[in-house]
Amino acid sequence: MDATHSKSAFVYGQVRRALQSGRYAPGQRIDPATLAA
């Protein structure tokens, strides 16, 4: 697994868990800069 795929998989997992936990409301925009931080 290369570094780019690893980072992508990590971020995907983090966003997925945040969505499932209710951290983001339905329809709420997710700011890419916030994710990057």
Side-chain angles (χ1 to χ4, degrees), residues 20-34:
Q20 290 174 332
S21 72
R23 180 173 176 190
Y24 299 107
Q28 179 182 350
R29 292 190 181 271
I30 301 172
D31 177 39
T34 302

Side-chain angles (χ1 to χ4, degrees), residues 2 5-6 8-11 13 15-19 21-25 27 29 32 34 36-37:
D2 65 46
H5 187 263
S6 254
S8 297
F10 175 77
V11 172
V15 171
R16 182 181 172 104
R17 281 188 287 283
L19 290 169
S21 72
R23 180 173 176 190
Y24 299 107
R29 292 190 181 271
T34 302

